[in-house]
Amino acid sequence: QVQLVQSGAEVKRPGASVRVSCTASGFSLSSHTIHWLRQAPGQRPEWMGWINGDNGKTKYSENFQDRVTISRDTYASTVYMDLSSLQSDDTAVYYCARDSIYLWLWFDNWGQGTSVTVSS
Amino acid sequence: DIQLTQSPSSLSASVGDRVTITCRASQGIGRWVAWYQQKPEQAPKFLIYSASDLQSGVPSRFSGSGSGTDFTLTISSLHPEDFATYYCQQYNSYPITFGQGTRLEIK
């Protein structure tokens, strides 16, 4: 069945960077777009960006433009999200989510979430 | 950015009730709205796209409607597993945005 399995929880100091991975199974990464979203405690989800699983093209939210990088390893069926210059308000659960390669821009399958805590 | 405002923010209802959640957009967004259900400590679950199209496997008691700026999610007869938080999402333009959520609680 379709699964997106994310890496484990992270605790980071302010100013550090974090990498979260998302490994796909049950479908071909090259036939889909993968998005990253985050959800701070008690808040609505916030969209961060996407990567085309076929050609690696990316698009980022302007809210994260200079701090986020999304990449992929097609052989490992894995997508990565790097977020730099972390601050306390980056504390959130980070999700990867699947979209069509045609960019319908809705998310039919989600990873289990990765908790990222930023604290000194 | 397009703002989505859901109402009510919370709702108490009983098993078997019919409930409707509203999502209002700050500008016209056609029918480019999706709905999700989220339970505590879980990822959101995809329910509806294009305002009214039910995702495969989602029970038919869920339905959506609307266009332009006003959208609704209706659950025709609440089941115990339906008590959760519901979010609308717009994909008319970037950045993709979500409503603040409606928490559906058991009365």
Side-chain angles (χ1 to χ4, degrees):
Chain A
Q1 75 278 24
V2 172
Q3 271 197 303
L4 294 167
V5 178
Q6 299 182 219
S7 49
E10 302 269 6
V11 179
K12 296 292 183 181
R13 300 292 192 198
S17 298
V18 68
R19 167 170 277 200
V20 182
S21 67
C22 170
T23 300
S25 62
F27 70 97
S28 173
L29 188 63
S30 61
S31 298
H32 289 270
T33 301
I34 300 295
H35 297 252
W36 286 91
L37 306 96
R38 74 179 186 181
Q39 189 172 27
Q43 301 301 309
R44 70 191 78 187
E46 181 179 18
W47 175 77
M48 300 178 69
W50 56 251
I51 186 166
N52 181 307
D54 181 35
N55 59 24
K57 180 181 177 181
T58 55
K59 182 173 180 67
Y60 303 122
S61 167
E62 289 186 5
N63 293 338
F64 301 95
Q65 187 72 41
D66 298 327
R67 296 199 298 134
V68 68
T69 303
I70 301 173
S71 58
R72 81 200 194 293
D73 178 343
T74 53
Y75 296 105
S77 294
T78 299
V79 174
Y80 302 95
M81 188 282 297
D82 294 291
L83 188 62
S84 62
S85 303
L86 292 168
Q87 300 299 322
S88 58
D89 60 1
D90 291 315
T91 293
V93 175
Y94 289 74
Y95 293 102
C96 59
R98 192 183 77 159
D99 182 6
S100 164
I101 198 71
Y102 303 110
L103 277 176
W104 300 127
L105 299 180
W106 32 257
F107 317 118
D108 67 354
N109 282 274
W110 296 59
Q112 84 276 19
T114 296
S115 174
V116 175
T117 302
V118 183
S119 174
S120 56
Chain B
D1 298 5
I2 295 174
Q3 311 299 320
L4 296 179
T5 303
Q6 293 181 227
S7 59
S9 294
S10 64
L11 174 60
S12 294
S14 301
V15 172
D17 284 354
R18 177 185 180 92
V19 298
T20 297
I21 297 167
T22 297
C23 176
R24 175 162 289 175
S26 58
Q27 62 190 77
I29 54 173
R31 293 178 59 82
W32 305 121
V33 166
W35 288 93
Y36 300 83
Q37 175 194 71
Q38 187 176 32
K39 297 180 179 179
E41 308 306 317
Q42 294 184 18
K45 175 187 174 184
F46 180 49
L47 298 176
I48 286 171
Y49 60 98
S50 298
S52 61
D53 290 341
L54 208 61
Q55 169 69 345
S56 175
V58 174
S60 59
R61 63 182 180 271
F62 290 89
S63 63
S65 66
S67 65
T69 60
D70 294 312
F71 302 87
T72 60
L73 172 70
T74 298
I75 310 172
S76 60
S77 178
L78 280 170
H79 286 208
E81 62 268 30
D82 299 337
F83 292 94
T85 299
Y86 292 85
Y87 293 97
C88 57
Q89 173 225 327
Q90 69 81 23
Y91 50 100
N92 177 79
S93 61
Y94 290 110
I96 296 164
T97 52
F98 290 77
Q100 85 279 13
T102 295
R103 185 175 178 184
L104 179 54
E105 301 174 317
I106 300 175
K107 185 181 288 183

